[in-house]
Amino acid sequence: MSRKLELIVLAIFLVFAGQFLYMSSTTDAEYGGADGEAEGVIMELTDGNYEPIANPIWEPPSGEIESLLFGLQAAFGSGIICYFLGYYRAKNKYENELGYKNSKESKSKSRLL
Amino acid sequence: MHVMEGFLPTPWWQIWFAISIPVIAYGIYKLNRLVNEKREILPLLAVAGAFVFVLSSLKLPSVVGSCSHPTGTGMAAIIFGPAISAVLGVIVLLYQALFLAHGGLTTLGANVFSMGIVGPVVAYLIYKAGMKANLNFFLVVFLAATLGDWATYVTTSVELALAFPDPTGGFTASFGRFATVFAVTQVPIAIMEGAITALLFKYVINVKSDILVELKVVEEAVVRKIKGVAA
């Protein structure tokens, strides 16, 4: 299988990873969330007068719990994607390459013979 | 990143809900019809939804020293269209608003508009135009997903600038500031998302291309070319 696309994606990833490692070790960039920065802009635009009209129903008590929830989100989604890919890859292999047919199909076919 | 809970004043948060709810309703209707007609799309729908789930959980560093999330809506937009993408987006946004205090319930309308509607619309249009122009499939997917992600964040900047115009510079000055925070930050992240989306499409097509052909997402000739290259 041609792995050209994988190589291109890997190259893009390495550029960003490399740039990130370089910047994080040489500058004092904080890498905070962009929505926190937006909050800062809003406060500046309203001279600190803006009061949010609502508060979150529940906030994760710490960054660790937040990591857990984000991690669960990623793990759950990845599980679904990988199950799909694995299932259909195996199905293709068994049906096409190995010639395995659904037993109901082959039984009805043998009856026709 | 989404607009945080409570950070859209009246009347804006209502306006975005008013715009988004009809689209979501239409998306649910379309989804029901599609699932009833072609039950076999369910696994692919699960993958598209899961992709949104995974990508919006990642906080990626950008070149300007902050972090943001990709959106993952590119795949859903290309395969199922913007309306159904809005439905998938609202599910993810609800999870993040309720359990992660990321985004919010009052801002759900605005966030669905940017991430579930505008982003997918842009991705969908770019994909269709690119395929019509017979460009390389992976390049088109990359462009659609990248620009769709970026459009989402430009829209978020617009939403915030409309709600918080600069006292002297008005909407334009405000938009410039929000866009610097969101849209500029997002460029490398959007590129990464485009690359990953293209890669996942490669695996999905290699493994289950028939549904994509049936849904008229890709033409048989394109599939053969991709598999022929891959074989």
Side-chain angles (χ1 to χ4, degrees):
Chain A
M1 204 193 221
S2 158
R3 292 291 178 189
K4 212 164 93 177
L5 186 63
E6 277 83 349
L7 287 174
I8 296 177
V9 173
L10 183 64
I12 296 178
F13 169 74
L14 287 173
V15 166
F16 287 124
Q19 176 270 339
F20 166 66
L21 286 171
Y22 174 73
M23 247 187 91
S24 61
S25 31
T26 53
T27 69
D28 56 1
E30 277 175 20
Y31 289 106
D35 51 3
E37 283 188 32
E39 198 180 326
V41 174
I42 294 178
M43 286 309 173
E44 275 179 48
L45 286 170
T46 56
D47 280 329
N49 289 329
Y50 183 73
E51 291 279 335
I53 62 165
N55 283 314
I57 291 188
W58 181 80
E59 278 184 74
S62 67
E64 321 292 82
I65 304 288
E66 191 181 340
S67 298
L68 164 71
L69 292 163
F70 274 129
L72 283 177
Q73 189 178 339
F76 180 67
S78 302
I80 293 181
I81 295 175
C82 293
Y83 178 88
F84 171 93
L85 291 176
Y87 178 94
Y88 283 109
R89 182 171 167 176
K91 187 165 185 241
N92 287 338
K93 184 173 180 178
Y94 277 96
E95 282 183 356
N96 300 332
E97 289 175 38
L98 301 184
Y100 171 85
K101 281 294 174 204
N102 190 307
S103 56
K104 284 189 198 159
E105 271 181 44
S106 45
K107 274 186 197 154
S108 57
K109 278 193 187 141
S110 55
R111 246 180 264 142
L112 285 172
L113 292 169
Chain B
M1 292 312 188
H2 313 300
V3 185
M4 293 167 304
E5 182 72 272
F7 272 84
L8 276 182
T10 322
W12 289 109
W13 66 268
Q14 293 101 322
I15 292 179
W16 298 117
F17 265 110
I19 301 179
S20 299
I21 288 181
V23 181
I24 297 175
Y26 176 62
I28 294 179
Y29 160 75
K30 221 178 140 195
L31 193 56
N32 268 324
R33 233 182 47 180
L34 186 61
V35 172
N36 284 329
E37 281 174 27
K38 297 183 206 247
R39 252 202 110 75
E40 61 270 19
I41 57 110
L42 275 176
L44 201 54
L45 183 68
V47 168
F51 193 60
V52 182
F53 234 58
V54 175
L55 253 63
S56 39
S57 71
L58 302 173
K59 285 191 188 180
L60 301 178
S62 100
V63 294
V64 295
S66 61
C67 291
S68 185
H69 295 256
T71 62
T73 48
M75 170 165 270
I78 290 174
I79 302 180
F80 296 107
I84 295 183
S85 305
V87 177
L88 295 173
V90 97
I91 297 174
V92 177
L93 286 168
L94 263 175
Y95 169 83
Q96 293 190 318
L98 291 172
F99 298 114
L100 285 154
H102 184 244
L105 294 173
T106 56
T107 48
L108 193 63
N111 290 328
V112 171
F113 184 70
S114 59
M115 181 172 137
I117 301 178
V118 172
V121 164
V122 169
Y124 179 78
L125 292 174
I126 292 180
Y127 176 75
K128 288 298 179 193
M131 290 317 283
K132 241 202 177 127
N134 266 324
L135 299 173
N136 176 287
F137 172 77
F138 295 118
L139 177 65
V140 176
V141 168
F142 169 79
L143 286 173
T146 304
L147 292 169
D149 172 314
W150 196 66
T152 298
Y153 279 83
V154 171
T155 308
T156 304
S157 308
V158 169
E159 290 169 356
L160 284 170
L162 283 171
F164 297 103
D166 190 285
T168 41
F171 168 82
T172 328
S174 210
F175 174 73
R177 303 191 59 181
F178 285 116
T180 312
V181 169
F182 282 129
V184 172
T185 305
Q186 197 64 17
V187 168
I189 298 174
I191 292 178
M192 235 13 271
E193 167 164 356
I196 298 177
T197 307
L199 206 54
L200 185 59
F201 259 106
K202 177 181 175 186
Y203 301 139
V204 169
I205 285 193
N206 270 308
V207 145
K208 192 115 181 92
S209 57
D210 51 358
I211 302 185
L212 290 175
V213 176
E214 214 185 300
L215 288 172
K216 299 222 177 43
V217 175
V218 223
E219 286 172 24
E220 185 68 53
V222 177
V223 171
R224 257 182 279 127
K225 192 167 138 202
I226 295 174
K227 287 191 176 173
V229 168

